[in-house]
Amino acid sequence: MGAKVGIVLVSHSGRLAEGVKELLEQLGARPESVAAAGGDPDGGIGTSYERIMEAVSEVDQGAGVVVLPDIGSAVMTARLVLEDEPRDDAAVVDAPFVEGAVAAGVLASTGAGLDAVASAAREAYTARKIQD
């Protein structure tokens, strides 16, 4: 199989990031294409620059990397990682954490490119769960 866009899940909670990773794998994402970078270095609530940096490298298969943060400092830390190590094939994407990850993960598993995967994650903001 060809290179797929990698996905990094950045959450304040390690359990939340791992849970979303597990969900993506159940929906067809290859385990090596998704990384959970959740929690602080001591396993508590928080974010870790090093974990994010390692996760980006871990899932980089040559097709690009989408970084999906949950809130607050996860966004700031993820952006800082990519500012410190600039690359044209990685992006921090503003998307709902779970829905954006699912949209990105499903599309990435088809071999879609970086721009399409990032766009799918962003478009999850408009996806309705209940039609009235």
Side-chain angles (χ1 to χ4, degrees), residues 26-114:
Q26 290 294 313
L27 294 171
R30 296 187 323 206
E32 65 274 11
S33 67
V34 181
D40 70 14
D42 298 322
I45 297 295
T47 57
S48 167
Y49 181 101
E50 291 76 19
R51 280 189 180 172
I52 298 167
M53 189 171 52
E54 290 169 8
V56 169
S57 293
E58 177 185 325
V59 300
D60 183 5
Q61 301 174 29
V65 177
V66 167
V67 181
L68 293 168
D70 59 7
I71 57 173
S73 65
V75 176
M76 293 185 308
T77 307
R79 292 178 78 179
L80 183 60
V81 167
L82 294 184
E83 286 171 10
D84 288 350
E85 299 287 333
R87 38 188 298 173
D88 295 332
D89 66 343
V92 177
V93 176
D94 182 11
F97 191 64
V98 176
E99 293 87 343
V102 168
V106 168
L107 195 56
S109 71
T110 70
L114 178 63

